[in-house]
Structure formats: structure tokens, C-alpha cells
Amino acid sequence: MTRNANHEQHRIWNGADGRHWAEHHQRYDAMAAGQTDALLDAAAITDTHRVLDIGCGTGQTTRSAARRARRGYALGVDLSEPMLERARRTAAAEGLGNAEFAQGDAQVHPFPPGGFDAAVSRAGVMFFADPVAAFGNIGRALRSGGRLAFVCHRNPGAEVEAVFAALAEHLPSAQPAQGVTDFTDPDHIRTVLDRAGFTETAVTATEVLSTVGTDPDDAADFLLAGQAGAAPGGTDTDRDAATRARHAVAAALRRFEGGGAVRIPARGWLVTARAAR
């Protein structure tokens, strides 16, 4: 049985949310792809490194890390079995024998002490029940002086806030989890990593364009479908709310349309640190 301390996240990502990500993995990967090279560059992965990918989802970052560590390997860990199954199938189809995947909660998973040279995560470290304990566990999995690099969300600009406001106006339950909002604060990030035993922490602002659809209606449909926790039920009132939300989100997205796509600026923090020596 998988050890986990994040029971609510385990429930979410093994339910409708996890299945939606697995089924639409190419689209989600395209949305986040602009962050991947900078993340792996920051981790300074060499061809012999052993890389740990935290919250790997459907495995795009794990596979990219495995290609860089061609004489080493990359292990992707995630709570979501539907997403991991997709990750395994894609890695096998691509012939990546040095990309491995395991279901586990990084907060309590029994990683081999000092078993990795680098740990990375693309928006997968913001949901821990106890982030200090989680990063402490990740730090112990790294060799002395091993490098940590992750990307997390920061506060979006006013234009993107308008998209979320349009959604929340009609579907109030579509709110970010508390951990996501905590990690928008760079001082909080530094405090967590310091308490977890990391050193040399650096937090750098990033911004990439994220393609969310071919046109505003397509993008609105996809964004609402991805909000499984806020999905309306079968009553007329719920269906009316979903319809109003769709129209409002599509209207807010029109300013981002151009060249046959809707691209919104995705703002984040690129965080690097070192495990204690």
C-alpha cells in the first residue's frame, strides 16, 4: 500500500482530476512545456546523474531529465496512478529505458538516503500537508550538496486574474488550493527550505506563454473541464452556472487570442537550493 500523508490530494489525483490529466496529457504538457528547459538547466543535470522528479504527473519532465542523464536515470514520483500509467506507457513508446515511475507521497516516501544527485519538480511541490517535512524528506534523498530545482506559481497579472475572477463569479468552488497560494510568496518558500535544511536558496521570477486553446471557446471548455472539483451537478441551476461561467471565461480570454491560439502569460518562481553538506 502506498504510504501517504496527503490524503485529500491522494483522493483528488486518483479521481476525476487525475483521469482528466491522463486523458489530456498532451494538452497539459503543451501548456507547461515552456518551463521545462529552464527547470532542467537550473538543476544542472549531467549525463550520469540520478534525478528525482517530484509530482511528475504524466512524466514529461521525467522523460526530459532521463534524456539529459542518458548514462544515469530519472525516477518520477506522483500520487496519481492514472497519470503514472500514462507516464509509463509514453516512456515505453519512446524507448526510454532509464525513466522509471513510482506511486508515492514525497513527504513520506522511503527514498534511499543520498540516492539522487538532483531533484526537480514542475509545479508539483505546492500541495504538501507539511511542506517542511516533505522538503526534509527530499533533502535526505539527495547526496550531500545535491541540487534542488522547482517551478511553482506566483501571483498572476491583472489580465489573467480577470479570467479566474470570471470563473469564480459563477463557480465559487473553483478556487486554488491553499498550498498553491502559500507558494506564491517567495519569503515563505525561503523559510520552508531553510527549515528543511536546504542552503543557497535562490528564487527567480519567470514568465512563459501557455497555450490553453485554439480559440476562446475551446480554451474555456478545456479550463472548465479541468476544474473537476468545481464541476456542476445535474440540476438546472448547476447547468446554468456552468454555461454562464463558460461564456464569462471565453470573454475574458479573447484578449489573449492570436495566430490561431489562445496564449496566456504564466508567471512563476524558479527556485534552486542545495541539500545540506
Side-chain angles (χ1 to χ4, degrees), residues 25 121 198 220 269:
H25 64 104
S121 181
F198 282 90
W269 298 115

Side-chain angles (χ1 to χ4, degrees), residues 88-114:
R88 295 184 186 104
R89 289 168 59 190
T90 304
E94 295 178 357
L96 280 174
N98 66 333
E100 304 171 8
F101 299 94
Q103 186 179 26
D105 181 344
Q107 183 171 318
V108 294
H109 192 76
F111 298 114

Side-chain angles (χ1 to χ4, degrees), residues 127-239:
F127 306 100
F128 296 125
D130 185 339
V132 173
F135 279 105
N137 194 42
I138 294 166
R140 289 186 292 275
L142 289 169
R143 63 169 171 79
S144 175
R147 196 163 181 84
L148 169 71
F150 66 85
V151 174
C152 60
H153 303 311
R154 61 185 170 111
N155 289 325
E159 292 179 340
V160 177
E161 284 277 16
V163 177
F164 295 120
L167 177 62
E169 179 181 357
H170 302 287
L171 295 175
S173 58
Q175 298 294 328
Q178 182 62 39
V180 175
T181 56
D182 286 347
F183 266 66
T184 61
D185 179 359
D187 289 334
H188 176 71
I189 296 170
R190 294 185 186 97
T191 297
V192 167
L193 292 180
D194 181 67
R195 291 177 59 196
F198 282 90
T199 63
E200 301 179 33
T201 298
V203 183
T204 304
T206 68
E207 183 171 315
V208 299
L209 287 178
S210 177
T211 302
V212 294
T214 56
D215 58 53
D217 289 330
D218 173 64
D221 284 343
F222 184 70
L223 292 175
L224 265 68
Q227 291 286 340
T235 69
D236 289 342
T237 299
D238 289 336
R239 287 192 291 270

Side-chain angles (χ1 to χ4, degrees), residues 9-34:
Q9 293 299 320
H10 187 275
R11 182 191 66 79
I12 290 170
W13 293 109
N14 284 283
D17 290 86
R19 291 192 297 274
H20 191 270
W21 277 71
E23 291 165 5
H24 300 278
H25 64 104
Q26 292 175 319
R27 190 158 178 172
Y28 279 114
D29 283 345
M31 289 172 62

Side-chain angles (χ1 to χ4, degrees), residues 60-135:
Q60 185 186 55
T61 45
T62 312
R63 300 193 309 275
S64 296
R67 290 187 179 95
R68 294 195 180 203
R70 60 185 183 278
R71 292 193 293 151
Y73 66 90
L75 173 66
V77 175
D78 202 281
L79 286 170
S80 175
E81 187 56 38
M83 296 169 77
L84 289 168
E85 175 59 24
R86 178 70 262 176
R88 295 184 186 104
R89 289 168 59 190
T90 304
E94 295 178 357
L96 280 174
N98 66 333
E100 304 171 8
F101 299 94
Q103 186 179 26
D105 181 344
Q107 183 171 318
V108 294
H109 192 76
F111 298 114
F116 298 92
D117 301 289
V120 300
S121 181
R122 190 179 68 186
V125 298
M126 301 174 291
F127 306 100
F128 296 125
D130 185 339
V132 173
F135 279 105

